[in-house]
Amino acid sequence: MTPTLLRPHAEDLYAEELAALKAVDSRPKPPGWQLSPWAVVTYLLGGKLDNGFEIEPKYIGQRRLMEIAVATLATDRALLLLGVPGTAKSWVSEHLTAAISGHTNLLVQGTAGTAEDSLRYSWNYARLLAEGPSLGALVPSPLYKGMETGQLVRIEELTRIPSDVQDTLLTMLSEKVLPIPELSTEIQATQGFNVIATANDRDRGVNELSSALRRRFNAVVLPLPATLAEEVHIVQTRVAKQGKALQLPVEAPALEQISRLVTVFRELRAGVTDNGKTKLKSPTGTLSTGEAISVMNAGLALAAYFGDGTLRAHDLAAGLTGAVIKDPAPDRVVWLEYLETVVKEREGWKDLYRACREVVE
């Protein structure tokens, strides 16, 4: 029996949509692109094609941001997606790459241990010792392959890469060339090559980008959802999608539960209640939309395997408390104060108050 993939690549999961867009896409395409800029934005934001085919939204937010991102990739400038954790930077990056290049497998995951080899190339040392420096002994990086084949390359968490290693990108992004001094040659980028990087400045271990590197990127900031209704819709949609993939034997969560969770996150992020009447202290964490999705999924798992299949307040309480209390000393005070001054007094929220108090004590 072939195992089921937990999370297929975007180009596989949405292959039908990409094929449908390609079939009706008669607009001009930049060199090396699978779809036109119009079709890429339609793939991201969703819509109905002239033949009635429905494209599912992948990103819920401002259309203009996606248009700027796509237009940037059609130029010689790289794209930098900025935002706090959980604002769908990686999600957007993956889907842009799937729609433009047709696959998403050219990826560099940025960490504090990322070395220049990960961005340039490395060597097969057995062949290097046997043959000496040669193209056969060279192991290409994703950027090397992207330049050679004219594909998009993703760099996740660019600011986690050490600053001196980041600057390895300068020549590749400005001159579109990767020198190979050991072989007295170079790789020149072919049409279609570009880079999408993601970064945030809220986590620890962040390395600032040099001004020279920043000039090579056009930065697009992905904001948190503007309204409660928009964020609830995002959480509801993503939870439903992930629930099917995880095959959780549980009822779909009631909209009321999602709305309560998102309200808590938004109020603590903003430092004020939804009605603007009560000022609040904010915890140290980001309380992003992505975290809200994770808390809801954890609650659904508890309800499915240790409850009656219906999501209730006590199923959400542990995940919600854990999301708020990242730094135990200050965040516990913030959370208890919020529970006592807001949750306890809010009509219809007594069950959530009791469940969260049980966990935090």
Side-chain angles (χ1 to χ4, degrees), residues 339-358:
L339 289 174
E340 294 299 325
T341 60
V342 179
V343 178
K344 185 179 181 180
E345 304 301 322
R346 191 163 276 165
E347 185 177 351
W349 284 38
K350 287 290 191 296
D351 58 335
L352 185 61
Y353 168 76
R354 288 191 295 268
C356 290
R357 284 294 311 203
E358 287 177 10

Side-chain angles (χ1 to χ4, degrees), residues 67-357:
E67 290 176 343
I68 293 169
V70 171
T72 296
L73 292 170
T75 70
D76 63 349
R77 294 191 74 191
L79 173 65
L80 177 60
L81 298 176
L82 293 168
V84 300
T87 48
K89 300 183 297 297
S90 298
W91 179 254
V92 170
S93 171
E94 180 184 2
H95 284 287
L96 280 170
T97 307
I100 292 171
S101 291
H103 66 82
T104 59
N105 55 12
L106 297 180
L107 170 67
V108 176
Q109 178 59 60
T111 70
T114 299
E116 283 191 21
D117 292 357
S118 300
L119 301 180
R120 298 171 72 241
Y121 51 84
S122 57
W123 297 96
N124 179 328
Y125 286 102
R127 293 192 64 173
L128 185 64
L129 291 172
E131 305 170 7
S134 67
L135 283 176
L138 186 146
V139 180
S141 71
L143 281 153
Y144 183 117
K145 293 178 182 177
M147 296 178 76
E148 192 174 45
T149 59
Q151 304 287 318
L152 286 184
V153 181
R154 295 184 292 148
I155 303 178
E156 290 294 319
E157 303 290 355
L158 177 60
T159 49
R160 290 192 174 279
I161 298 174
S163 298
D164 57 333
V165 178
Q166 292 175 9
D167 286 343
T168 304
L169 294 168
L170 289 173
T171 301
M172 285 183 263
L173 295 183
S174 58
E175 305 299 325
K176 310 302 182 188
V177 166
L178 172 57
I180 310 176
E182 297 91 340
L183 302 179
S184 300
T185 187
E186 64 185 15
I187 293 295
Q188 291 182 296
T190 55
Q191 289 184 325
F193 166 74
N194 213 329
V195 171
I196 307 177
T198 65
N200 74 76
D201 56 6
R202 289 290 299 273
D203 287 347
R204 295 173 184 173
V206 166
N207 301 297
E208 287 294 326
L209 303 181
S210 67
S211 58
L213 188 55
R214 281 188 176 273
R215 288 196 299 271
R216 269 69 176 184
F217 284 98
N218 185 33
V220 173
V221 179
L222 299 185
L224 289 162
T227 66
L228 174 66
E230 185 178 297
E231 191 161 3
V232 166
H233 179 56
I234 293 170
V235 174
Q236 184 181 30
T237 303
R238 293 287 291 125
V239 166
K241 197 82 175 176
Q242 291 182 8
K244 288 181 182 178
L246 295 170
Q247 299 182 13
L248 293 174
V250 64
E251 296 178 8
L255 193 60
E256 176 195 5
Q257 298 287 11
I258 297 176
S259 181
R260 291 201 297 186
L261 173 63
V262 172
T263 297
V264 171
F265 272 40
R266 291 180 67 86
E267 290 182 333
L268 287 173
R269 280 199 315 250
V272 65
T273 53
D274 198 41
N275 58 15
K277 293 182 179 179
T278 305
K279 289 187 176 180
L280 306 166
K281 295 175 184 175
S282 294
T284 57
T286 57
L287 296 179
S288 66
T289 310
E291 284 183 286
I293 293 167
S294 296
V295 170
M296 188 60 63
N297 280 331
L300 287 171
L302 284 171
Y305 298 118
F306 302 102
D308 60 3
T310 299
L311 182 73
R312 292 186 170 82
H314 68 275
D315 299 313
L316 283 179
L320 176 54
T321 300
V324 175
I325 303 179
K326 290 291 193 289
D327 191 335
D331 291 345
R332 187 175 187 277
V333 174
V334 170
W335 183 225
L336 285 172
E337 184 177 307
Y338 179 76
L339 289 174
E340 294 299 325
T341 60
V342 179
V343 178
K344 185 179 181 180
E345 304 301 322
R346 191 163 276 165
E347 185 177 351
W349 284 38
K350 287 290 191 296
D351 58 335
L352 185 61
Y353 168 76
R354 288 191 295 268
C356 290
R357 284 294 311 203

